[in-house]
Amino acid sequence: MSSPRLRVQFETLFEHYKGQDCGVQLEEITEILFCTRRNARIVLNKMEEEGWLEWHPAPGRGKLSQLIFKRSRADVSENLARRYLEEGKIGQALKVLDHDSAKLAQVVESYLGIVHQEGQQVVRLPYYRPLTTLNPSVPMRRSELHIAQQIFSGLTQIDESEQLQPDLAHTWEMLSPTHWRFYIRPSVRFHNGDLLTMQNIIDCLNALRSKNLYSHFDRIESPGHLVVDIHLTQSDYQLPLLLSESCAKIILPPESRADDFDMFPIGTGPYKVVQNDNKRLVLKAFDGYFGFRPLLDRVEVWVIDEAHSSMVFPSLSKPIKPDVANYGDEVELDPGCTLLLLNRKNGLAVSDEWASYFSHRLNTLNLFQQLPQDKIVELGVLPAHGLKPGWYHHTRQGYTSPPSYRTVTIAYHAQHPMFPTLVKCIEAILKQDGLSVNLIKYDITVEDTTEVDIWIKPMGIATNRDDALAGWLLNYSDIEALSISEDFEYWTKVVKEWQAAENASFPALEIGKSLVERMQLIPMFHCWLGVSKDQCGSLQNAKCNALGWFDFSKVWVKPALDLTFEQKEE
């Protein structure tokens, strides 16, 4: 890419000659650019390579060479800004546009949003970090969970209306509460062309036994062609629902996976990964998908440099964040919350006195008051008084000062728009009480939880359904690693009793209340999520889901029709 200095040199020439083609001598150029004849030739050749101008040197002294401008100053600045934007460098793009956010909005709009390329419908969305771990068999963050749902299929799925639907299994039946039979679609292929086999499904289901939610799996077999039976050690009326969890997606067998499978996973879902690096993730519609082929041909998630990511709004028609005072669109709340997970197993919170101190001193209102006002608006957060919006859980009365003066170790995601600010607020409160703070920053997960006293975590539940708490609690909340054994056994027992009872409502409130009252966690904030309906432009059916995204496979672009043609028809 051309250097910022080259652009400044072009602007200097353009302004000097007022953009008019003219005959000049090389000595003039050296005086204007304050450089030698050799450097002037190098600069002019580079500008010609960029397509900004043409330089036709005339042989012989005293003869005029021809300088022809091919681009205006604004063209060059915008072109350079676009190229910086391609690399995710929105700060550099803003700089070459003289920090004019209106011009930047025009450039961003030409790259993000809805784009038509060679007859294909492409949607480009901004994001603040790369999406590097897309393997559903390992822990994933909330945005990766959404992307994985576009790449992989499970036996069942939850649709955009949050209802249980068939997926790889076109139907199923409960032969008994401990014996379920699933009927599999024929001729399903992975993105690499491999045929899905019953053994592949059996192996993936067997691998689930290590997770608490599926620990009752006994025997899995295929009694006939395209049939899979699951035998259980205890009654489970909810099994089809539990198999819609992300960790239950069907993936390639280990021997067929490449070393970079986490970044370039291969599934059977509506989209396949064709690019994934620190600049962008590109998903392409899978023509061999067993369901309805997506109407969007490509989805590109563009990584914007972190320092300026808050400028870019998650919208398709207005990519630059609008003035808050003028922004009144309706968006939804995260169905879970961001929370502080206390280490009740081997951290300071092993002691009820410390757990009580943390629960009271770091409650949501204390933290909310510490947040800078501009950050509250930028991050879109509200105090959380329970795990889900509208819930209110009381904590025990107890210590309001620390039991002793110790160092508190706090773990948090290194790449997260809220957590660095939040950590500073927590650190400020603890230091007021004479405590020192040690921070552990990580990319995917904490390697050794025994070193952690407080773990800042987002819940990342995938639906608004109350029963989504079952998979979160038992599969990926990390509560088991940081809880008192008797407490976790109780929460597991409550979930298992729900599974074993026919037509039972999920005891979400009971679990949420117990988690707070037993001082296992402290709810912090609910976040505003997603793209509002008014910000989607011509994109149809872009309904925000619980993960703050929309189902790529269900949306389409409404074409702009020729009004003169419609008038002729009338």
Side-chain angles (χ1 to χ4, degrees):
M1 177 183 283
S2 57
S3 68
R5 176 172 171 75
L6 188 67
R7 177 185 67 90
V8 172
Q9 290 169 322
F10 173 81
E11 290 177 350
T12 302
L13 287 178
F14 190 89
E15 289 175 3
H16 181 84
Y17 293 109
K18 296 181 172 57
Q20 300 298 312
D21 301 342
C22 57
V24 298
Q25 291 185 337
L26 189 60
E27 285 75 12
E28 275 185 61
I29 303 294
T30 62
E31 291 176 7
I32 296 168
L33 298 181
F34 299 103
C35 64
T36 64
R37 287 173 61 89
R38 180 176 177 274
N39 283 340
R41 288 193 186 97
I42 293 172
V43 168
L44 290 169
N45 287 334
K46 284 184 178 179
M47 291 181 187
E48 193 163 23
E49 288 174 9
E50 291 290 334
W52 298 350
L53 53 73
E54 289 181 11
W55 170 248
H56 300 287
R61 280 192 174 275
K63 291 188 177 180
L64 296 178
S65 301
Q66 292 299 308
L67 181 64
I68 302 170
F69 291 98
K70 306 293 288 184
R71 293 285 185 271
S72 70
R73 176 185 174 183
D75 287 341
V76 170
S77 296
E78 289 181 14
N79 185 51
L80 207 54
R82 288 190 184 95
R83 289 161 69 176
Y84 277 127
L85 190 61
E86 284 182 9
E87 296 185 359
K89 298 176 180 176
I90 198 170
Q92 292 282 57
L94 191 60
K95 186 176 179 180
V96 301
L97 293 171
D98 299 322
H99 296 274
D100 187 332
S101 59
K103 286 182 183 177
L104 181 64
Q106 293 174 355
V107 175
V108 170
E109 194 168 350
S110 69
Y111 265 87
L112 303 180
I114 299 166
V115 182
H116 294 275
Q117 281 185 330
E118 300 175 355
Q120 292 193 328
Q121 293 185 348
V122 180
V123 165
R124 291 172 174 164
L125 300 166
Y127 202 55
Y128 70 94
R129 61 175 176 82
L131 296 155
T132 54
T133 304
L134 300 172
N135 180 352
S137 66
V138 300
M140 288 190 294
R141 297 175 67 175
R142 64 183 304 131
S143 291
E144 281 84 346
L145 282 170
H146 170 77
I147 300 297
Q149 290 174 354
Q150 309 295 304
I151 299 169
F152 296 95
S153 310
L155 294 190
T156 63
Q157 64 176 330
I158 300 293
D159 66 15
E160 67 271 23
S161 299
E162 303 200 335
Q163 298 300 309
L164 183 66
Q165 298 293 347
D167 202 6
L168 289 172
H170 59 86
T171 192
W172 53 83
E173 58 183 332
M174 186 181 71
L175 303 181
S176 78
T178 58
H179 183 189
W180 285 83
R181 176 163 292 167
F182 294 83
Y183 299 91
I184 310 303
R185 298 179 191 276
S187 303
V188 174
R189 291 190 179 274
F190 286 94
H191 299 152
N192 65 351
D194 288 359
L195 191 67
L196 174 68
T197 66
M198 297 308 100
Q199 188 59 47
N200 191 186
I201 294 175
I202 291 170
D203 290 344
C204 287
L205 294 177
N206 275 326
L208 292 176
R209 286 177 172 158
S210 60
K211 299 185 181 297
N212 288 306
L213 198 61
Y214 310 101
S215 60
H216 59 315
F217 280 18
D218 181 25
R219 188 173 78 258
I220 302 165
E221 58 191 7
S222 178
H225 183 55
L226 298 175
V227 179
V228 170
D229 278 12
I230 301 178
H231 298 269
L232 309 169
T233 58
Q234 65 182 54
S235 297
D236 189 349
Y237 289 90
Q238 310 294 339
L239 184 61
L241 175 67
L242 304 185
L243 290 176
S244 68
E245 289 280 329
S246 292
C247 61
K249 300 296 183 187
I250 305 303
I251 61 178
L252 277 176
E255 62 271 16
S256 299
R257 299 176 207 163
D259 293 338
D260 58 357
F261 185 79
D262 283 3
M263 287 191 68
F264 289 89
I266 294 171
T268 59
Y271 283 96
K272 61 181 179 180
V273 179
V274 295
Q275 178 182 344
N276 191 15
D277 51 39
N278 59 0
K279 294 179 182 177
R280 65 185 61 88
L281 165 70
V282 179
L283 303 177
K284 183 180 179 182
F286 178 39
D287 291 331
Y289 180 52
F290 60 84
F292 290 116
R293 195 259 193 200
L295 298 175
L296 285 181
D297 297 292
R298 284 163 66 95
V299 176
E300 302 178 2
V301 181
W302 287 45
V303 180
I304 302 298
D305 56 318
E306 187 175 353
H308 294 83
S309 61
S310 62
M311 288 185 62
V312 181
F313 193 60
S315 116
L316 299 176
S317 63
K318 298 176 184 176
I320 297 296
K321 199 166 189 177
D323 242 347
V324 176
N326 300 327
Y327 182 63
D329 294 326
E330 292 183 5
V331 286
E332 296 182 2
L333 277 177
D334 178 355
C337 67
T338 301
L339 53 86
L340 300 181
L341 184 58
L342 303 184
N343 189 347
R344 299 279 275 148
K345 179 170 284 186
N346 39 39
L348 288 175
V350 164
S351 155
D352 281 353
E353 292 178 348
W354 272 103
S356 180
Y357 163 72
F358 288 141
S359 295
H360 284 84
R361 199 71 176 96
L362 301 178
N363 70 67
T364 181
L365 293 180
N366 282 352
L367 289 173
F368 195 74
Q369 289 170 0
Q370 290 285 328
L371 284 175
Q373 188 62 37
D374 59 330
K375 284 293 183 181
I376 292 174
V377 173
E378 179 184 320
L379 298 172
V381 294
L382 287 177
H385 299 286
L387 288 189
K388 293 173 72 69
W391 288 8
Y392 190 90
H393 303 314
H394 294 276
T395 54
R396 297 179 189 173
Q397 296 301 314
Y399 276 83
T400 55
S401 58
S404 58
Y405 296 104
R406 302 282 295 277
T407 296
V408 180
T409 300
I410 303 173
Y412 68 100
H413 276 302
Q415 289 184 309
H416 194 284
M418 182 198 300
F419 290 174
T421 301
L422 195 53
V423 165
K424 289 179 182 177
C425 297
I426 295 172
E427 195 171 11
I429 291 174
L430 296 180
K431 284 185 175 180
Q432 288 173 12
D433 292 346
L435 300 173
S436 57
V437 174
N438 175 46
L439 300 178
I440 297 177
K441 294 189 289 186
Y442 62 92
D443 291 324
I444 297 175
T445 191
V446 175
E447 297 296 330
D448 184 6
T449 57
T450 61
E451 299 178 358
V452 176
D453 295 311
I454 300 173
W455 192 349
I456 303 176
K457 289 183 69 69
M459 287 180 68
I461 53 178
T463 74
N464 290 285
R465 297 170 59 115
D466 281 353
D467 49 39
L469 292 181
W472 166 76
L473 176 65
L474 299 188
N475 286 348
Y476 57 90
S477 67
D478 292 301
I479 287 176
E480 182 179 18
L482 273 71
S483 63
I484 300 168
S485 297
E486 292 77 11
D487 285 348
F488 193 76
E489 287 172 7
Y490 166 73
W491 297 319
T492 302
K493 175 173 167 288
V494 172
V495 174
K496 296 295 184 183
E497 287 175 350
W498 163 71
Q499 290 175 253
E502 190 173 7
N503 300 322
S505 297
F506 184 74
L509 268 172
E510 178 184 342
I511 290 173
K513 181 181 179 183
S514 177
L515 285 166
V516 174
E517 289 184 347
R518 297 192 184 200
M519 298 181 291
Q520 181 61 64
L521 54 81
I522 308 167
M524 281 193 300
F525 304 116
H526 300 302
C527 300
W528 296 109
L529 286 181
V531 184
S532 81
K533 295 175 184 176
D534 295 334
Q535 294 295 321
C536 292
S538 56
L539 199 65
Q540 307 297 302
N541 201 32
K543 181 180 179 182
C544 176
N545 62 26
L547 292 169
W549 296 73
F550 54 87
D551 188 343
F552 304 149
S553 66
K554 298 294 190 294
V555 299
W556 59 286
V557 178
K558 189 174 184 178
L561 300 178
D562 187 345
L563 295 179
T564 57
F565 177 80
E566 290 184 352
Q567 290 168 355
K568 287 179 183 178
E569 288 290 303
E570 291 176 2

